[in-house]
Amino acid sequence: MTEQPLSFIQLDRAIGAVLGSAVGDALGAGFEFATPPRPSEVRMRPGTLTGKPAGHWTDDTAMAVSVLRVAATLGTLATPEAQTAVAQGFLDWFHSSPQDVGAHTARVLSKAPSASALAATSAAVQQAAPHSAGNGSLMRTGPVALSALGNDALIAATARAISALTHAHQDAQDACVLWSIAIDRAIRLGSLEGPRAGLSQLSSEQATKWTQWIDEAETQDPQTFSPNGYVVTALQAAWSAIVQTKHEKNPFEAGLRRAIAIGDDTDTVAAIAGALLGAVHGVTSIPFAWRHDLAGWPDGIHGIDLMELAVLAARGVDPAGWPGVGSMANAYRHFAPAGATYTFDVDPDVVFGDFGALATVNADAFLSLCRIGEQDRRATNHELVWLLDQPGNADAARVLADTADAIAHLRQRGQRVFVHCVQAQSRTPTVAMAWLMRHHGLSLAEAEAAVMATITSAAPEASLLAAVRSLTETTA
């Protein structure tokens, strides 16, 4: 957790590091050790090894969640207490009989007599197999940077300690250091320095090796880096895919598609790439269709939970007690949300409203455009959209368009949808405008007129209204 306040956009990127990795893992799970797809063919589909439904993550995210939960609850990963708690999470997951466990990870976890002995067990297993350097700790290192943003030395020490719980090899530890510091730079600065940013935290001998390996990743075709079970090759594969696609229109999507198209250990390479891509471009760059059905171990954890844990790990709670507050009703009381709902004739099964209506409206799917508490959730996969009702969004037009597309996606599934913010003054009306334009063929002028006539509380904030006006006036 950083001691410096994080901006809304920096939090967008912190959340992106966590959800980006989970999305990459879930996407890659459908192609793991199968015939590599073309980038355009990448989509969510059931896991090839796990057999789980599309959208379910694998061991990569399950182990990352163990790291993330400790960072969120204790505010650090650097203490022996925190590292033992992470180790216990790994053991709890392993003893849940997961379908997909790396061979080296399984050897370590199966031999550990307790969480406090895990690091020693790992060291012993490494000594018995000194050349074993799999990608199993790099795949879960995404949350490490959140616990120590802005402190390279602490990030490096923590990344090594968390890696060594199962993967003690020098290359594995160094890879986690390099990737964690790259994620720190992305979250704090929005920069794509990549693994070079952490070279100063390596020994001179290791830094020389890694400089050559990074050079190879930046100059060779991503397909070069397969098979990619070795931690160095896995990092090279992820970084090569990112570098090759960084100038494309949607670099988050393009980077993950390219990472998975490499083939072999696709879920892990995509989880590694997704953590850095999400940290650079933010959760607002991740398409709703990719993040909506996210789920996995522990049972009951979904995308909104990962979002809240990421904020807790990176910043802690805000003055209203979010995340972690039971309900935001008290925090919003002075706004006096009236519990109003609004519909349009083009599709009355899309309901717009304010926070006051959230508790009572009848719907199958819920899109919250403002903070909500755990008790305010109305559905298993209740979604929280990261959007301000004032200037300061990373890309408000993209968020409005993606949320409009999310409504259409849910309606195609036959679900009745409720969309709300606090008062239905700014965010809700502008999402409604975007939806009418993109999916019902209304012009900008027609959409504005329809929304202003229907949502009587509407008073769109200037930057959000400008974002709507920047959208292409075509149907999706």
Side-chain angles (χ1 to χ4, degrees), residues 351-373:
V351 184
F352 298 90
D354 61 23
F355 178 81
L358 177 58
T360 59
V361 73
N362 179 29
D364 306 302
F366 296 81
L367 298 176
S368 292
L369 311 177
C370 60
R371 297 165 298 165
I372 60 169

Side-chain angles (χ1 to χ4, degrees), residues 40-178:
S40 61
E41 295 171 340
V42 172
R43 59 182 175 80
M44 284 290 182
R45 64 184 198 179
T48 59
L49 296 187
T50 66
K52 294 291 186 180
H56 280 238
W57 57 70
T58 73
D59 56 327
D60 305 59
T61 303
M63 297 190 80
V65 168
S66 296
V67 179
L68 179 64
R69 292 170 91 177
V70 174
T73 55
L74 298 185
T76 182
L77 294 168
T79 65
E81 176 192 10
Q83 290 160 21
T84 299
V86 171
Q88 186 62 59
F90 291 168
L91 289 170
D92 290 345
W93 162 74
F94 181 69
H95 292 303
S96 72
S97 300
Q99 292 94 338
D100 186 11
V101 186
H104 182 89
T105 299
R107 280 195 295 272
V108 174
L109 295 178
S110 64
K111 293 177 181 296
S114 67
S116 60
L118 185 58
T121 303
S122 174
V125 171
Q126 189 67 58
Q127 187 174 16
H131 300 297
S132 180
N135 57 29
S137 61
L138 180 59
M139 72 186 190
R140 65 179 192 239
T141 205
V144 168
L146 274 62
S147 70
L149 290 168
N151 188 331
D152 283 0
L154 185 56
I155 291 173
T158 305
R160 291 189 187 283
I162 299 299
S163 174
L165 289 174
T166 55
H167 291 67
H169 194 283
Q170 186 71 55
D171 291 345
Q173 291 188 42
D174 286 349
C176 290
V177 169
L178 297 178

